Amino acid sequence: MLSPKRTKYKKFHRGRMKGKATRGNEISFGNFGLQALEPTWISSRQIEAARRTITRYTKRGASLWIRIFPDKTITARAAESRMGSGKGAVDYWVAVVKPGTILFEIASVPEQVAREAFNLASYKLPIKTKFIVKNNVE
């Protein structure tokens, strides 16, 4: 599972996910991309599940880029614990995703294979996604 080696702070505020993505919203590395259409937190487990699905479907014949990284901690309190006594321990890591963010990119496979791989991967993610093609694909 993805997680940072070290961070400046151990526990984050929850924050809000206003607006559309201004960065990471264009295909940079591959020919095809999977774009988020809704704002959400995507956990490291969900990213890993989608990655495995894509690599299995393409039989490891594709170049794959994961464009999001889970660098925000989500904390949780123990079950049936009383109120107070501080914030809970770190439970898991998430990537904050806004509408328009490119989640995955893929290259060196035909469009039909990429489309089906991303379709299968989208079932593993908690949001609606869209398959997009780079402008200058032959």
Side-chain angles (χ1 to χ4, degrees), residues 2 10 12 23 25 28-29 35 37 39 42 58 60 68 71-74 77-78 80 86 95 100 104 108 119 125 132:
L2 293 170
K10 198 162 44 170
F12 283 79
R23 299 163 190 222
N25 57 357
S28 305
F29 305 105
Q35 187 177 44
L37 297 178
I42 297 185
T58 57
R60 298 200 334 256
I68 52 175
D71 54 0
K72 179 188 183 98
T73 55
I74 302 302
R77 300 286 302 269
E80 299 181 18
F104 297 96
S108 63
N119 185 38
L125 299 172
I132 57 171

Side-chain angles (χ1 to χ4, degrees), residues 121-137:
S122 69
Y123 292 129
K124 309 289 182 184
L125 299 172
I127 53 169
K128 289 180 183 160
T129 57
K130 184 168 95 177
F131 179 83
I132 57 171
V133 183
K134 196 170 190 174
N135 294 336
N136 56 2
V137 174

Side-chain angles (χ1 to χ4, degrees), residues 87-102:
K87 196 168 162 97
V90 172
D91 195 27
Y92 58 98
W93 295 84
V94 296
V96 178
V97 170
K98 290 181 170 185
T101 304
I102 303 293

Side-chain angles (χ1 to χ4, degrees), residues 1-4 43-49 52 69-70 93:
M1 245 64 75
L2 293 170
S3 67
S43 73
S44 56
R45 288 175 180 273
Q46 291 164 339
I47 296 169
E48 177 63 14
R52 280 179 159 181
F69 187 80
W93 295 84

